[in-house]
Amino acid sequence: MTTSTPSAAPCVADRPALSEAVPQTLLLLGASGDLAARLLLPGLGRLVASGAVPDLRLVGSGRDDWDDERWRGRIAGSFATVGAGGPREAEVVRSARYLAADVTAEEDLRRLLAACQGQTVIFFALPPAVTARAAATLARIGLPPGTRLMLEKPFGTDTASARSLNDLLAGLVPEDQVHRIDHFLGKSTVVNILGLRFANRIFEPVLNSAHVACVDIVFDEALGLEGRAGYYDGAGALVDMVQSHLLQVLALMAMDAPPTLDAREVRGRKAQVLRATRVWDGDPVRWSRRARYTAGEVDGRRLPAYADEPGIDPTRGTETLAEVVLAVDTWRWAGVPFRLRSGKALAGRRKEAVITFRQPPRVPTGLTGYEQPDRLRIGFGPDRLGLDVNINGPGDPLEIDQVHLVADFGPGGLPPYGEVLRGAFDGDPTLSVRGDTAEECWRIVAPVLEVWRAGAVPLQEYPAGSHGPADSLLAPAPGEVARY
Ligand code: NDP
């Protein structure tokens, strides 16, 4: 027997990191904000420590009248939270500069761009409306060739605003230089899902409507508002989690095999899936749920009701838990409900995609105890594969038991923001959301937002520390054991 090893397909991992050769500048707009301190700078610290960006300058900007020393203190403090205190990181801190600026003003932006050297990455860690105004100002003054842009979620507030922001960005740089951040899935998680699905012959042949009963994508967190009223009360769980992150997971779970891991292939297949995705039965009233938490206890911590949190306007009716059932109208998935849910202040932290299989067509008479369906679970953070499968367990061989097989995926070396920053420094947009996809995601949730705003779906309540509303759309089917 002869075997042949196909020559390696070109993929992003084979590409020499651009950062090896070219000096780079990260221009951080919104440097004094929460995102910069808590997520972005720690991710950057780990990235710098890894040696992936050997020649980096960091220029920070905000409206606050900080000086370089204060900014360096902020960077060093954030780096320290992830143990990034080595010589490479110290050099980035030492050479960092801070410039106070109004990023909607032409003169100020010109000054900021003049402070950048080499390959420039501009990170918009700004309120969304300010980002749009800054982009419009940049469109008037122009950008140095090769500049890459990193934009935070939410990307727009609906399909029309996402489209007009896309139009604006298209006039600034080519699409491949726009990095719309989805930090939920780091590179390792994306590759873990693709490897599980497409690097063996076990799972992929049964991942279709002939064998799958439903797919659940769940992000339940124990955390409540955590002081983020200013952002969250205007967004809510549907926009904050489902419209952005969970639809990206859906796309990876449902897409067809890309021939390579190249950004064009992966993002193209994700876009195909999302174009085919819509609310189940076209009935957003029946197939969505919204709720918000009341006072309760989570992990021994007392939480006030969401409506009583400082900075919340209870009359807005912002939900802290959202559920929606979607259809992916492709040959492979037609008829399989994709049930998405995300909620805050819940009893159990749960971050996973679960594929529930149909029952076998015929179980030999004489075997008992096989009522629970088989399930394939992909847990996120830590990334883990779980398989709940019916087999003859210990004891009576006629009695079927469900065993739970678990395997850990390799953890990524970088935190999520380290990975998305690396994508921008390396000019690899695989992890970022393509412009048309950002618009599709708004198109998918638009009917739900519309019926919620019209009051057609009641805003339910659940005590903090509970499992959410009793009539969850993800409630187990009769005969299944409830997991939450
Ligand atoms: P903050 O309100 O904490 O910070 C916003 C920053 O923008 C501040 O530094 C602020 O400066 C600056 N800014 C506002 N207007 C201007 C202006 N005209 N010119 C210059 N600077 C300006 O927000 P976050 O850091 O929390 O969020 C930033 C973005 O990241 C938002 O789009 C948010 O949706 C997104 N995001 C945030 C996450 C988080 O955990 N915080 C998570 C995921 C996304 P000043 O203080 O002087 O006004």
Side-chain angles (χ1 to χ4, degrees), residues 29-39 61-65 98 100-105 108 112 123-131 133 151-154 183 228 231 240 245 417:
L29 309 180
S32 53
D34 174 69
L35 176 79
R38 232 168 22 86
L39 296 170
S61 176
R63 280 182 305 190
D64 293 319
D65 199 15
Y98 182 88
D102 174 356
V103 297
T104 61
D108 284 12
L112 292 177
F123 196 119
F124 295 81
L126 300 164
V130 182
T131 294
R133 296 212 321 267
L151 291 109
E152 261 303 336
K153 71 163 192 183
H183 69 277
R228 294 191 59 214
Y231 159 70
D240 183 48
H245 307 311
Y417 269 87

Side-chain angles (χ1 to χ4, degrees), residues 5 10 23 25 73 87 132 146 173 206 221 228 298 310 314 336 345 350 352 434 475:
T5 308
T25 300
V173 296
V206 293
E221 57 181 336
R228 294 191 59 214
V298 190
V336 178
R350 190 173 164 222
E352 63 175 355
R434 209 171 65 185

Side-chain angles (χ1 to χ4, degrees), residues 203-236:
F203 300 115
E204 197 51 26
V206 293
L207 295 186
N208 56 55
S209 61
H211 300 284
V212 173
C214 66
V215 179
D216 293 344
I217 299 169
V218 178
F219 185 88
D220 283 355
E221 57 181 336
L223 293 178
L225 190 61
E226 306 295 317
R228 294 191 59 214
Y231 159 70
Y232 194 85
D233 205 36

